[in-house]
Amino acid sequence: MTSGPNAIECRGVSVEYGDVKALIDVSVGFAPRQIHAVVGQNGAGKTTFARVAAGIVQPVRGTLAIGGREVPVGSVGAARAAGIELVHQSFALPPSFTVAEAMEFGAASGRGVFTRGELQRRWRRHLESLGVTVSPRERIRDLPVETQQAVEIARALVTDAKVLILDEPTAVLSPSGIDNLFARLRVMQANGVTILLILHKIREVLSVAETVTVLRGGRLIEGPIPTAETDAGHLASAIIGSGLESLSTIDREALVGADDEPEHEATTPAMAAERSVPVLELRGVSTRADTEGPALRDISLAVGRGEIVGVAGVEGNGQRTLVRAVADLADLARGAIVLNGDDVTRRPLVERRASGLRVIPFERNTEGLSLSSPLWENWSARTLLLGGLLNLINPARLRRDCDDSLKTWDVRFSSSSQLAGSLSGGNAQKVILAREIDGTATLIIAAQPTRGLDVGATAFVWRALREAKARGCGILLISSDLDELFDISDRVVVMLSGRISGEFRPPYHLGEVGAAMTGAGR
Amino acid sequence: MIGPLTQVFRALVFVLIGLILCGIIFEFAGYSAWLMFQSIAEGAFLSARAWQNSLRWALPLFLTATGVVISFRCGFFNIGAQGQFYMGAIAATFVVDGLTGYPPALVIPLTFLAGIVGGAVWALWPGLLRVRSGTDEVITTLMGNFLAGLFLVYVTSGPLKDPSGTGQAASSRPVEAIYRIGAANSLSPAIIAICVLVGIGAWVLVNRTSFGVLSSLAGRNPIMVVWQGARLSRLGLAGFVLGGALAGLAGTIEVMGPIGRLSSGMLPTHGFTAILIALVANLSILATAFVSVFFGGLAAAGLYLPVLAGLPAAAIDIINAAIALFITARAWPKRLTNLFRSRRSAA
């Protein structure tokens, strides 16, 4: 099956971002005309590896050969000329372009002057040949996310690409979208393209790839090994590594998406929750349209005491609006929001917080923390807002309290006066947890609380949420990681186009939840 | 963590570079740089008389700069200190002129109140436009400066015109001696007392209240404090109004003290020098006090330059401009690197 030189060959590649070593002496080769997977945790160096191969990142050491011929490292032009195309994790097409314009933008050849109709004619056939059903007239921003990705892949193939690298292509897709993507990749493989997939779910690796390569902490752990010769358990250990034996099996599997249908221990459905007053109740909530995402349409949802309600859905289906509505940051058109039995629809966020609402926002570095402010200011903001603006404070005491609190939350820091931006992602998230999860919290909105965190920090966040739940907190967990939701939620609701399209209780079935995420089967 | 004074010291290094650059330019223009520096030093700091002069200029600058610091800390670039200074002075003059004849115990407090309110109102409308409809405050406050400057021309040659005035610049009637809080172009205990009180109050506000912490957070990341439940519009408006009020207070003091009347085109760079002071002081109140003395010294020395170095007094403006250039050049790369750092950690 393997013949000729490797499609991509890296030798001794090391990449450093300042003090951070992103890749350490990685040597690996990928055979042509196969689908290869590169797996690892967040921060293992997967994306950096993809960027080195595509010439975007300049390694400090190492060489790159494409199809047996060495190409200069750190040159996008050279890599593209040699036939490498990269589809980015976050899409890079200009939202205001039409599909045809985006295609032309990717193609290096062009006369420079053309009519719109000419462009559309030129690219319609290309799209059809790839099985992408989209009008070249449509604007990128109006396309559903799965079509956007298909267009992005089509754009990568406008030149005669021999190697296509896709960085976490499944992160934005529903389960059925993932199946479609994989089918499309197999067709391209049959046409002679070598495909390199950056993934972090073992389940997906086993279903699509022929070989798998594991990175951990910037080092090559193993690979490429044929997927036929390995199994989920082995890969999970390789990805996570040692040192996390304390994790329960179920958390371990959730972290890497190891099983097809995870066996769940019988989570006792929060029975008390249904008898007592819910900590959060949304009654027929609709919001006015704004630029930040789809409006909510008639959402009714309750979170009981000691209950974790998961919110699933393809990103951009109103999850953000839901959080903003609860936090009084979106404009309600209809409906009521009830916290602990009190109607707070017309009350500002500061009053909602006073009655126990806590928010771990989506964007840790902008909504959660002020990176250029000291830790103690970030940490004390919540409590300061409970009092008047002219209340006198004692900064020395706040710094001391902050020190104590951050220590109990296991934050690695040297001084509470250091800037929040000097912490790693996991530590920064722990600062937010330290601020938001306190004894008086009754409802915690956790929006993507583990995104971008390594395994240890992810497990830490899960433990914190479970402990808060044990104290009687209600928790609304928004996540795009179904394994995470299935692992720790008592109940999962699915959002689609601003509505709740389904509600599920354990044992969860991926297929059913996936159907609700895409609107299939209804 | 670097202390505020260390940061100021670093900023002063850039001030020094600005001075040296000016020295070189003046040297090439045919003046003696050495004589220039000498006369600046003599005019500003080398005698008791010079110190008195320096402080006469430093104290009103300190008040306005303190207001700029508070406003900038909230994250709003209210660069309208000059206009707010004028509006404070105009409002104060209307009151003191209109109430001439009443007892000073009534007139002086009312004049100060009017001056403070006048400055605050001139900051309030750009503030409201900013928080209500997102109008860029840099544009509105800058335009406000021109409006206030033209209004000053109007009132000094119209409603408040001194009919006996013979000077080049139109001006109001001189403030009656019984209402003055300081003699012409000199210091007075009253002015020093006001500045000390304002300085202490501002320091407490910035360093020892919830407002200080929250406004500094809001200044660095407004999105984060909104997610914490803060009302950004309130913090921002407070910053605008306090900034305007302090500039108005400085304007009142000039009318009631050292200048003793309102005149068209008076101290046309006061507000901008105050912004420069706030930036050099890195938005620290304590540092603002020291930096104000330095710039007050430069202002005092400006009067000596023509006499000693044969330089036009406007040379001080050139020096200030060069300093402004270096201070902003210092501030920008740092911000840019911060931006890149946060981008990278987000990636």
Side-chain angles (χ1 to χ4, degrees):
Chain A
M1 198 155 81
T2 51
S3 57
N6 280 335
I8 304 186
E9 177 99 26
C10 290
R11 284 277 156 253
V13 168
S14 297
V15 173
E16 290 167 13
Y17 297 122
D19 301 336
V20 183
K21 291 181 169 38
L23 284 180
I24 304 160
D25 195 25
V26 171
S27 296
V28 62
F30 297 100
R33 287 180 287 285
Q34 290 194 352
I35 299 183
H36 305 276
V38 175
V39 295
Q41 309 165 24
N42 291 309
K46 306 185 298 282
T47 295
T48 305
F49 178 75
R51 290 183 177 172
V52 169
I56 296 171
V57 165
Q58 168 103 50
V60 288
R61 274 180 299 283
T63 60
L64 175 68
I66 295 166
R69 293 231 314 277
E70 190 148 321
V71 294
V73 290
S75 156
V76 180
R80 284 191 72 187
I84 292 199
E85 288 289 342
L86 172 65
V87 175
H88 290 268
Q89 191 170 2
S90 47
F91 299 147
L93 295 181
S96 60
F97 276 30
T98 66
V99 171
E101 285 164 351
M103 292 286 147
E104 184 66 30
F105 183 53
S109 67
R111 277 185 293 121
V113 180
F114 24 67
T115 67
R116 196 160 277 209
E118 225 180 308
L119 275 190
Q120 284 160 7
R121 271 195 304 284
R122 184 180 311 166
W123 295 113
R124 179 168 289 126
R125 175 179 291 182
H126 174 72
L127 291 165
E128 276 166 5
S129 72
L130 291 167
V132 183
T133 47
V134 62
S135 158
R137 261 199 299 275
E138 285 215 63
R139 296 206 181 272
I140 299 292
R141 61 164 171 256
D142 298 330
L143 299 175
V145 67
E146 293 178 11
T147 317
Q148 271 189 43
Q149 188 183 48
V151 171
E152 182 102 15
I153 293 171
R155 185 206 54 81
L157 294 174
V158 296
T159 53
D160 188 20
K162 297 184 188 71
V163 181
L164 184 64
I165 306 174
L166 294 101
D167 189 5
E168 301 262 6
T170 58
V172 292
L173 301 181
S174 66
S176 66
I178 292 174
D179 289 343
N180 291 338
L181 170 71
F182 288 173
R184 181 168 292 140
L185 294 182
R186 286 196 195 92
V187 171
M188 294 191 320
Q189 178 203 6
N191 292 337
V193 179
T194 309
I195 292 161
L196 197 59
L197 287 168
I198 311 295
L199 293 171
H200 76 268
K201 290 284 164 70
I202 292 173
R203 187 189 313 121
E204 295 166 359
V205 172
L206 294 178
S207 76
V208 68
E210 284 154 284
T211 80
V212 58
T213 301
V214 181
L215 292 175
R216 189 172 72 225
R219 293 177 194 279
L220 178 71
I221 299 303
E222 54 185 24
I225 47 173
T227 45
E229 291 170 19
T230 185
D231 60 50
H234 172 78
L235 284 178
S237 306
I239 291 172
I240 294 180
S242 55
L244 285 152
E245 283 84 6
S246 58
L247 284 181
S248 67
T249 333
I250 178 167
D251 276 358
R252 240 181 131 80
E253 288 175 355
L255 282 167
V256 292
D259 276 349
D260 272 328
E261 295 288 340
E263 272 298 307
H264 276 267
E265 56 193 63
T267 18
T268 45
M271 304 215 286
E274 282 163 27
R275 286 197 300 270
S276 71
V277 184
V279 289
L280 170 71
E281 212 185 335
L282 300 180
R283 296 180 188 148
V285 168
S286 301
T287 60
R288 295 200 177 83
D290 58 31
T291 52
E292 286 198 53
L296 299 184
R297 288 187 285 171
D298 195 26
I299 296 259
S300 290
L301 176 68
V303 180
R305 273 178 57 80
E307 187 186 25
I308 300 183
V309 176
V311 178
V314 176
E315 269 183 56
N317 273 283
Q319 296 96 317
R320 204 183 143 72
T321 321
L322 175 68
V323 174
R324 288 170 51 232
V326 177
D328 189 36
L329 300 173
D331 201 3
L332 246 60
R334 260 192 315 281
I337 297 173
V338 181
L339 268 184
N340 303 312
D342 295 328
D343 188 328
V344 297
T345 314
R346 270 170 235 301
R347 301 230 207 108
L349 175 55
V350 65
E351 284 178 36
R352 298 183 192 190
R353 278 184 171 274
S355 63
L357 170 67
R358 301 288 181 268
V359 185
I360 300 166
F362 285 95
E363 304 295 336
R364 168 176 339 130
N365 295 336
T366 52
E367 295 161 356
L369 293 173
S370 167
L371 295 186
S372 49
S373 301
L375 287 176
W376 70 272
E377 290 190 0
N378 275 292
W379 176 83
S380 52
R382 184 180 68 77
T383 39
L384 292 183
L385 275 163
L386 294 176
L389 276 184
L390 291 180
N391 280 6
L392 289 182
I393 57 165
N394 179 346
R397 223 183 84 205
L398 283 177
R399 278 197 285 271
R400 227 169 23 245
D401 291 349
C402 173
D403 264 339
D404 293 345
S405 166
L406 296 189
K407 273 176 198 144
T408 56
W409 282 90
D410 196 31
V411 180
R412 306 290 152 81
F413 68 113
S414 55
S415 145
S416 54
S417 302
Q418 85 188 76
L419 301 185
S422 61
L423 297 184
S424 72
N427 275 318
Q429 189 69 316
K430 285 180 191 171
V431 175
I432 297 178
L433 295 179
R435 182 182 65 209
E436 302 291 334
I437 304 184
D438 66 322
T440 58
T442 58
L443 170 70
I444 298 167
I445 313 276
Q448 300 279 20
T450 60
R451 171 143 63 188
L453 301 190
D454 66 25
V455 173
T458 300
F460 186 96
V461 172
W462 290 352
R463 194 162 65 237
L465 292 178
R466 285 195 180 111
E467 280 166 10
K469 163 190 159 148
R471 283 199 306 270
C473 261
I475 294 167
L476 190 66
L477 171 67
I478 293 89
S479 176
S480 52
D481 186 337
L482 288 179
D483 293 300
E484 168 173 275
L485 289 173
F486 293 171
D487 183 28
I488 72 170
S489 307
D490 297 309
R491 201 150 51 92
V492 168
V493 298
V494 176
M495 288 193 73
L496 176 66
S497 309
R499 294 179 193 278
I500 289 181
S501 64
E503 177 170 343
F504 302 89
R505 287 168 189 277
Y508 302 107
H509 294 285
L510 194 57
E512 290 173 13
V513 177
M517 283 166 70
T518 52
R522 73 178 34 228
Chain B
M1 189 72 186
I2 328 164
L5 287 181
T6 323
Q7 292 186 8
V8 170
F9 179 74
R10 286 190 185 174
L12 285 178
V13 170
F14 285 88
V15 170
L16 209 65
I17 296 175
L19 284 174
I20 291 170
L21 182 81
C22 285
I24 293 171
I25 292 173
F26 287 134
E27 189 74 43
F28 274 107
Y31 299 98
S32 160
W34 175 245
L35 208 56
M36 177 184 90
F37 286 126
Q38 209 182 355
S39 53
I40 287 177
E42 272 175 27
F45 306 115
L46 289 184
S47 67
R49 174 86 192 125
W51 270 99
Q52 215 176 33
N53 269 337
S54 298
L55 285 178
R56 173 261 174 269
W57 295 107
L59 292 180
L61 279 174
F62 170 69
L63 292 177
T64 307
T66 301
V68 174
V69 166
I70 293 173
S71 176
F72 278 19
R73 284 181 77 99
C74 297
F76 292 106
F77 277 95
N78 167 13
I79 56 166
Q82 183 65 28
Q84 292 142 19
F85 169 78
Y86 277 166
M87 285 313 219
I90 292 169
T93 312
F94 266 111
V95 171
V96 77
D97 198 61
L99 294 183
T100 300
Y102 288 89
L106 177 73
V107 175
I108 294 176
L110 281 180
T111 308
F112 272 90
L113 187 66
I116 290 169
V117 170
V121 167
W122 207 243
L124 182 65
W125 66 264
L128 281 173
L129 283 175
R130 178 71 175 87
V131 301
R132 292 256 184 276
S133 46
T135 317
D136 191 336
E137 76 278 9
V138 174
I139 307 290
T140 49
T141 52
L142 187 66
M143 294 302 137
N145 288 341
F146 291 111
L147 287 178
L150 292 171
F151 190 58
L152 177 65
V153 172
Y154 164 69
V155 295
T156 47
S157 48
L160 290 176
K161 185 176 165 63
D162 179 6
S164 64
T166 52
Q168 293 166 320
S171 66
S172 71
R173 278 180 289 276
V175 174
E176 296 269 333
I178 46 164
Y179 305 131
R180 293 281 289 272
I181 57 164
N185 279 319
S186 72
L187 276 176
S188 82
I191 298 176
I192 295 173
I194 290 173
C195 289
V196 169
L197 284 179
V198 166
I200 292 173
W203 185 86
V204 169
L205 182 72
V206 164
N207 297 299
R208 289 288 183 272
T209 65
S210 292
F211 174 84
V213 174
L214 293 170
S215 63
S216 142
L217 279 169
R220 291 169 193 275
N221 183 354
I223 302 168
M224 176 256 173
V225 290
V226 166
W227 278 85
Q228 286 299 306
R231 277 174 235 180
L232 207 52
S233 53
R234 245 207 215 164
L235 282 173
L237 273 186
F240 272 105
V241 167
L242 282 171
L246 287 175
L249 176 61
T252 311
I253 285 178
E254 288 291 359
V255 169
M256 302 285 279
I259 296 182
R261 55 163 43 163
L262 188 69
S263 69
S264 162
M266 64 191 255
L267 307 184
T269 58
H270 174 92
F272 299 103
T273 309
I275 292 172
L276 200 52
I277 292 171
L279 290 179
V280 175
N282 216 348
L283 307 190
S284 143
I285 298 289
L286 186 63
T288 298
F290 290 99
V291 179
S292 296
V293 173
F294 176 81
F295 279 89
L298 280 186
L303 304 172
Y304 279 72
L305 281 183
V307 185
L308 288 178
L311 276 167
I316 287 296
D317 292 339
I318 297 177
I319 291 172
N320 277 347
I323 293 172
L325 215 61
F326 276 95
I327 289 301
T328 37
R330 173 199 66 123
W332 274 110
K334 183 140 185 266
R335 276 208 198 154
L336 288 178
T337 44
N338 276 346
L339 190 69
F340 284 128
R341 204 170 295 145
S342 58
R343 285 271 168 80
R344 199 163 68 195
S345 61

